[in-house]
Amino acid sequence: MNHATIAHAHEGGHHGVPHGWRRWLFSTNHKDIGTMYLVVSLIMLFLGGGMAMLIRAELFMPGIQLLQPDVYNNLVTNHALIMVFGAVMPAAAGMANWMIPLMIGAPDMALPRMNNMSFWFLVAAALMLVISMVVPFLPGGGTPVNTGWTLYPPLSVQVGMSMDFLIFTVHLLGISSILASINIIVTILNCRAPGMGLMDMPIFCWSWLVTAFLLIVILPPFAGAVTMLLFDRHFGTSFFNAAGGGDPQLFQHLFWFFGHPEVYVLLLPSMGILGHIIPTFARKPLFGYQSTVGAMLAVGTIGLAVWAHHQYTTGLSLAAVTYFMIGTIVISIPVGLLVFNYIATMWRGAMTFETPMLFAIGIILMFSFGGLTGVMLATIPGDIQYHDSYFVVAHFHYALIPGALLGLYAGVFYWLPKWTGNMYDERLGKIFFWMVIIGFNLTFFPQHFLGLAGMPRRIIDYNPMFTEFNMISSIGSFIFGAAHLVFLYVIVKTVRGGARAGDQVWEGAKGLEWTLPSPPPFHTFTTPPQIKLAQSEA
Amino acid sequence: MHGGSQFKRLMQFLAVALFLGVAGHVHAEYGINFPEPATPSARDIYQIHMRTMTIATVLLIIVFAIVSYSLYAHRKSRGFTPDQNFHRGWFGRWSWVLVPLLVLGVDMTIAGSAEEVLKRLWLVPKDKDMMEVKITGHQWWWEYEYLDQGVRVESRYVPQEKAGSLYLRDVDNPLVLPINTKIRFLNTSADVNHSFWVPQLGFKKDAIAGYITETWAVIDKEGTYRGQCAQLCGTWHARMPIVVQAVTPEKFTAWVGAQKTRMAAAEAEAASGKVWSKEDLLEKGRDLYNKNCSACHQLDGKGLPPAFPPLMAGGGFPAGENMTKPLQERGFFKDGKIVVGPVPKHLDIVLNGIAGTPMQPWNQLNDLEIAAIVTYERNAFNNNTGDVIQPADVAKARGATAPAKSD
Amino acid sequence: MAMTFKLPALILAALIVFVLAEALYFLSKDHGDKDKTRVARALSVRVSLALILFLLLITGAFFGFIHPHGI
Amino acid sequence: MSQTPSNYFLPDPSPWPIVAVASVFSILFGAALAVNGLFPGGIFIVLGFALFSYLLFSWFGDVVRENMAGLYNERVDSSFRQGMIWFITSEVFFFLTFFGALWYLRNVSADWLTGKGYLAGTHEVLYNQFFSVWPRTGPGLKEEFTPMKAWGVPAFNTIVLLTSGATITWAHWGLKAENRKLLIRGLIATIFLGLLFVTLQAWEYQEAYQQLNLTLKSGVYGSTFYILTGFHGMHVTVGAIMLAAILGRSFKGHFTPENHFAFEAVAWYWHFVDVVWLGLFIFVYML
């Protein structure tokens, strides 16, 4: 797609680089904002990961050893929220900020001040979330949010005032993500270098275009739902209260109208990253560029219409569940096509196995597994058994850790030399990779068996018959957790120094971003590069 | 639990698991697949589960095989030169049609096989002679009402000391059901959402506050089937086990008879007009309070603010106005603290609950039980009012305030 | 509600939304070009249509085709 | 207008975004305290709004200055315009959420409560005395209320908003025809009608609470009525404030037939709010 030649690339800028704290707080530079996003998401990753470690430590043995039940439930809730909104989405947004302008030859994001605002809204949301976690420990603070990230009423109506802080956290996150999405869409549609059509765009930009559109559509219903929840809690309305003619299921519909596409919001950017890594290390172009774009669009659109497969057991009619079952299973078509295209890109390439490529291969294999258990879950008779059991926990971690998180790790290793100008330590990168793969599979594979044997999810205490698998799972999770110390070390080490990286960091990499120095200057492409597509591609 | 022995078991288990291989057959002791089904629907589900799992495994093996071959063969270190025109060949041009068609075929196979079973599971037969059981989820116990037999059972978890290895899998009163009988289950909840799940029976339905969700089953094997609440329902979600005891219809009839005798005796005792001593009421009241009320208001009466107020006079209750105002109106809340209000209001709260708060009506308890609970609450936790409430007082209060019972 | 009344009302409502969306599209395309008045024109159309719809509703209620609640 | 620059305009570091975040955070933090009856909540809310208004002046002031200095080229202009489209898309889905909730409560859950549809058992077992036609509360509420009549204030309000749509269109044509007098008169009339609408709405709420016993606590009818009209009223208020800002700029002669994105954006927004009201009038008041 991108045999682009650059006729005219002019570096340097009209203003100098700002210094001191103002550079970061008041930033209007996509690279600085991207860096801030990435740093915040790394902090959140450790916070959410620490919670996961506590959860697994508690579940290591039957009985209640470490945590109060409500604190445990709160950790379950916040682990999900922090990982989804604090770690994965900001990391993806950070990479979008860094890479999209470089990839499409734009001088910056289309609306730089708004870009800064969406970042700081994220920080404000994180602060609000921390407040909601701390409040229950203060005198008169009430119960912690013990509802799980789904925040289902009536349970969420019972919760203490920390729920109100969480509701406003959702509002702040909503504002942040919507503004960021607007910015990304406008940048992609309006700021491409002359000569770059939509179908010449790098696949990462396409994945974010679909993602951003999804976010704009799904976040308002979520914000609306929690607003109604706030009214039910404090102003006596009856949206989710049968006594007043409302229905708790309404919240579930609104939540999952957001919650299901959100899964694709997490997945797509990482899939976009793979669309760069695999061609680079296979040294041949992406197989089926058009169908990959089509698949992403299809995932986005179909994904908007299948939300209620999370509610098979709540009392939907036969017609409704049949529709949602078929719709959900149909999603496997574009997702399958996506995975197929990536495998076909590797096929007959000349592969080398640097850390990003190792991650890409691991992702394809493990994500396929998570996708296939997804088809099992979509088939309703089976789902009646799997629903709300550990099988579901295993499934979505198999979908989201490879599909979203590991894709971002791959992106970090792929682009870190470009961002910092230094090569990372390949040996440490590989150690990290293998620790992640072993830890991850050890953690979540046994959970399938737990679910099938009848262990419900979100319980703090369990019967001794579930002990063995839980122990294995906990040990795996500790390995998985420890791996991240290596990750942190690699990143810090790379930022501080290392072998110099050239413009073209990877032998097989294609695209505008690799024509720039590593690290790129503060302002890039202030005069847009002229793109001429190689004749054979047209 | 002793860490050492647990670890030993784990090591033994790891050895066994390695030996068997992970994707092996159902292994009773370690449970890596569904437990043995006990109803036709659970068997149908089991079959569909095995079929989709087989398809998934085959697909996964194919993907692994292709990727593995590629990883081996198409490496730069083996000197393989990339095929730059691979994506332009006929395969590259048509794969976007071929792959989706292939996946669609697999999808339709899976969905098609599920369709018929789905219909059977979803459409509850409308037979007139079906047995009906109403299941109500409470925080954190189950209530079973046999609508045709007029029997009511409360089912609570058994603490670890008594339950032993069945901890969190055992209850005080199981749900007794006859085999070979079509049973309709009417699920609902008194407070937050719960979900009734016994894997071997092959159904799971959320119990939604204020709504009835229906399911049905025919159990065809005698036995004891265990499950748990599957929908996060707050603090003690983990402590809502379910035990279903499937017995022959004859045994079931006998069991119903015994339950009726028990209930009638309790009813007669409550209605006998007997005047109870304070000590007796307090003793009964403590048991009943611990069983019915302590989940929310706690054993020591300190409550769990802001959802559940303390019952202890002088206890602080930091909560929103929606919680404190109804209490204030009834005389139980003053200057930010809980006070012991008037007896009639106390009875009113227990009998009718407080709309808009988690406090539910407890009018399913009989007069004696309520009298005992209220007496206990007014004297325990250093409340020491000295009040004694007799069943007759409760009967009067019930007549005065209770709305016409709808069922 | 009589179908003869409902259908035009629905068509009108759909038209209004369409014209409004069209105005938004023109808004992003025309860049406030002096000679291009497509935005203002579309918005004028939308006001007129809304007026017609409202009149339709009033007549509908007057002749008893629709029965607003609470009367 | 000065000559169009060839480079895409990149603003210098700006303090306003983070101030905006701080002010919104303050408002929401205060709100979380206030709904729980904690005293400092109100202070945070007031502080937040004060900071927010200050910030609006400063930020938009910067934007206006940059615009008047001719720093924006066509592409920057496009970015603003496209950004607005996507913002409006999110607004549309916000309104659709509340309309969707209304639809669901009136049809799906209403069926179940009254014995139709898949969860008909709900009616048989729990509420066999509950029958209902919209507008209604639910099976557990006993208080009666009178629903809002469509042909009183609401119909008049519809006329008010429709007229305001016409006046903003006059202003629009006035701008295009370089008729500043018409522009300013049209804007003033629109703002006046907008304020009239909000005032009438407030009066209607008061009526509902005092005369009709129609409150937030009146079951699903009250809930959906207030959330939809309230959310819309909020938008009208914001729209009127933006119109006022535009009026101020018109007095200063900022707008030319070529350069008036701010005007067109606000005008379009006003039309959007008006169309939403038509939907409200039909689905909330009439049907």
Side-chain angles (χ1 to χ4, degrees), chain A residues 378-400:
Chain A
T379 315
I380 300 173
D383 180 81
I384 288 173
Q385 296 285 28
Y386 313 135
H387 184 85
D388 265 329
S389 78
Y390 256 87
F391 192 87
V392 174
V393 177
H395 155 70
F396 69 73
H397 282 96
Y398 258 97
L400 287 180

Side-chain angles (χ1 to χ4, degrees), chain A residues 60-64 69-70 73 140-143 146-148 152-155 158-161 233-234 242 245-249 252 282-288 291 312-318 321-322 325-326 329-330 332-333 336-337 340-341 343-344 346-353 361 364-365 368-369 372 375-376 379-389 445 449 451-469 471-472 475 507 536-537, chain B residues 1-3 6-7 9-10 13-14 22 29-35 42 45 48-49 52-53 56-57 59-60 63-64 66-67 69-71 74-77 80-84 86-88 91-92 95-96 99-100 103-104 107-108 110-111 114-115 117-119 121-123 139 160 164-169 191-193 195 197-206 208-211 213 228-239 304-308 318 320 322 356 358:
Chain A
F60 186 72
M61 285 200 300
I64 298 174
D70 272 337
N73 288 340
T143 43
N146 57 5
T147 60
Y152 281 0
L155 185 56
Q158 274 185 6
V159 175
M161 64 194 271
R233 284 168 56 81
H234 293 289
D247 185 352
Q249 280 201 57
Q252 304 187 0
R283 292 171 180 74
K284 79 194 204 6
L286 181 63
F287 182 89
S291 69
Y312 284 154
T313 65
T314 60
L316 294 171
S317 68
L318 181 64
V321 288
T322 309
M325 172 170 89
I326 291 172
I329 294 182
V330 162
S332 64
I333 293 173
L337 188 58
F340 171 83
N341 281 345
I343 295 176
M346 295 180 354
W347 190 259
R348 299 186 67 75
M351 282 186 271
T352 51
F353 303 101
I361 295 163
I364 286 178
L365 295 179
S368 303
F369 184 73
L372 287 166
V375 175
M376 290 172 72
T379 315
I380 300 173
D383 180 81
I384 288 173
Q385 296 285 28
Y386 313 135
H387 184 85
D388 265 329
S389 78
F445 200 73
F449 304 136
L452 294 179
M455 182 168 162
R457 61 194 283 212
R458 294 164 165 172
I459 55 174
I460 183 176
D461 197 359
Y462 53 83
N463 180 273
M465 73 185 259
F466 301 122
T467 309
E468 285 82 5
F469 283 127
M471 278 190 169
I472 299 174
I475 292 169
E507 186 195 8
S536 57
E537 285 298 312
Chain B
M1 291 297 136
H2 298 289
Q6 284 295 336
F7 219 86
R9 266 187 81 189
L10 172 67
F13 170 72
L14 277 178
V22 189
E29 193 182 344
Y30 297 108
I32 57 175
N33 204 341
F34 286 147
I45 292 177
I48 286 183
H49 160 70
T52 46
M53 198 159 72
T57 312
L59 286 176
L60 199 68
V63 170
F64 266 69
I66 294 175
V67 173
Y69 176 77
S70 182
L71 291 184
H74 308 135
R75 273 184 293 162
K76 197 187 175 197
S77 58
F80 195 89
T81 39
D83 180 356
Q84 296 294 356
F86 181 60
H87 63 291
R88 293 200 194 90
F91 188 62
S95 63
W96 70 275
V99 175
V103 181
L104 186 70
D107 285 356
M108 288 303 120
I110 293 172
E115 201 55 50
V117 174
L118 177 63
K119 236 176 244 167
L121 293 173
W122 236 251
L123 300 177
Q139 281 174 322
Q160 192 164 5
S165 69
L166 284 176
Y167 176 54
L168 298 176
R169 304 283 284 175
D191 32 54
V192 304
N193 294 354
S195 193
W197 180 34
V198 179
Q200 285 159 290
L201 301 190
F203 68 84
K204 179 192 284 153
K205 271 284 157 153
D206 287 9
I208 297 172
Y211 286 84
T213 51
Q228 278 181 269
C229 172
Q231 181 68 261
L232 180 53
C233 52
T235 316
W236 290 118
H237 168 52
R239 289 192 181 165
L304 281 174
F308 310 116
N322 59 327

Side-chain angles (χ1 to χ4, degrees), chain C residues 22-48:
Chain C
E22 201 186 30
L24 188 61
Y25 174 76
F26 293 150
L27 183 58
S28 80
K29 281 284 153 202
D30 287 358
H31 288 273
D33 194 323
K34 188 180 174 175
D35 305 320
K36 289 190 178 162
T37 52
R38 294 194 290 180
V39 184
R41 218 180 308 155
L43 289 176
S44 312
V45 172
R46 119 58 224 157
V47 174
S48 324

Side-chain angles (χ1 to χ4, degrees), chain C residues 49-61:
Chain C
L49 286 176
L51 198 65
I52 298 171
L53 176 59
F54 184 62
L55 291 174
L56 192 70
L57 288 178
I58 290 182
T59 37

Side-chain angles (χ1 to χ4, degrees), chain B residues 44-363:
Chain B
D44 287 343
I45 292 177
Y46 183 76
Q47 271 176 10
I48 286 183
H49 160 70
M50 291 313 282
R51 192 178 311 151
T52 46
M53 198 159 72
T54 312
I55 294 174
T57 312
V58 170
L59 286 176
L60 199 68
I61 290 171
I62 294 173
V63 170
F64 266 69
I66 294 175
V67 173
S68 303
Y69 176 77
S70 182
L71 291 184
Y72 166 75
H74 308 135
R75 273 184 293 162
K76 197 187 175 197
S77 58
R78 291 185 82 231
F80 195 89
T81 39
D83 180 356
Q84 296 294 356
N85 290 315
F86 181 60
H87 63 291
R88 293 200 194 90
W90 69 270
F91 188 62
R93 264 181 284 133
W94 290 105
S95 63
W96 70 275
V97 188
L98 295 176
V99 175
L101 278 179
L102 198 73
V103 181
L104 186 70
V106 176
D107 285 356
M108 288 303 120
T109 318
I110 293 172
S113 71
E115 201 55 50
E116 202 185 323
V117 174
L118 177 63
K119 236 176 244 167
R120 270 207 302 281
L121 293 173
W122 236 251
L123 300 177
V124 182
K126 293 287 168 202
D127 304 9
K128 280 273 175 275
D129 58 341
M130 260 175 113
M131 183 177 153
E132 287 190 332
V133 179
K134 185 176 165 202
I135 299 173
T136 310
H138 293 260
Q139 281 174 322
W140 290 271
W141 51 282
W142 294 97
E143 180 187 358
Y144 305 121
E145 287 169 84
Y146 297 77
L147 296 183
D148 308 314
Q149 287 79 8
V151 172
R152 196 181 140 268
V153 171
E154 290 177 8
S155 177
R156 289 182 171 79
Y157 103 108
V158 180
Q160 192 164 5
E161 307 85 74
K162 286 191 210 158
S165 69
L166 284 176
Y167 176 54
L168 298 176
R169 304 283 284 175
D170 202 12
V171 295
D172 52 359
N173 301 308
L175 174 62
V176 180
L177 294 173
I179 57 169
N180 298 326
T181 311
K182 278 190 191 171
I183 308 167
R184 176 186 296 150
F185 297 95
L186 304 162
N187 304 281
T188 188
S189 160
D191 32 54
V192 304
N193 294 354
H194 304 270
S195 193
F196 187 91
W197 180 34
V198 179
Q200 285 159 290
L201 301 190
F203 68 84
K204 179 192 284 153
K205 271 284 157 153
D206 287 9
I208 297 172
Y211 286 84
I212 294 275
T213 51
E214 288 179 43
T215 42
W216 73 289
V218 179
I219 306 173
D220 49 19
K221 266 167 48 187
E222 268 192 282
T224 308
Y225 307 113
R226 296 172 196 281
Q228 278 181 269
C229 172
Q231 181 68 261
L232 180 53
C233 52
T235 316
W236 290 118
H237 168 52
R239 289 192 181 165
M240 284 187 74
I242 298 161
V243 177
V244 172
Q245 209 161 16
V247 295
T248 57
E250 297 76 42
K251 282 187 201 158
F252 177 71
T253 318
W255 177 84
V256 168
Q259 292 300 311
K260 282 196 156 160
T261 323
R262 178 186 62 80
M263 286 171 68
E267 209 51 52
E269 194 182 27
S272 63
K274 178 181 164 191
V275 176
W276 291 76
S277 75
K278 186 177 168 190
E279 285 66 38
D280 285 351
L281 284 172
L282 280 179
E283 202 189 315
K284 265 188 185 307
R286 183 182 308 113
D287 281 355
L288 286 161
Y289 175 89
N290 290 353
K291 231 164 97 177
N292 291 297
C293 320
S294 66
C296 301
H297 297 292
Q298 305 299 299
L299 285 169
D300 54 8
K302 283 184 178 156
L304 281 174
F308 310 116
L311 300 183
M312 184 193 275
F317 183 43
E321 247 202 4
N322 59 327
M323 296 294 299
T324 56
K325 211 171 158 213
L327 288 176
Q328 201 165 1
E329 282 166 358
R330 291 165 173 81
F332 283 81
F333 188 72
K334 216 173 164 183
D335 305 326
K337 288 203 164 60
I338 293 292
V339 291
V340 182
V343 175
K345 290 288 174 195
H346 199 154
L347 287 171
D348 169 58
I349 294 176
V350 177
L351 279 169
N352 302 321
I354 300 177
T357 72
M359 183 65 191
Q360 301 299 321
W362 287 85
N363 53 16

Side-chain angles (χ1 to χ4, degrees), chain C residues 20 27 31-32 44 46 69, chain D residues 78 81 173 258 268 274 287:
Chain C
L20 188 70
L27 183 58
H31 288 273
S44 312
R46 119 58 224 157
H69 61 245
Chain D
S78 264
R81 288 163 194 269
W173 285 111
E258 298 88 17
W268 190 91
D274 190 357
L287 296 182

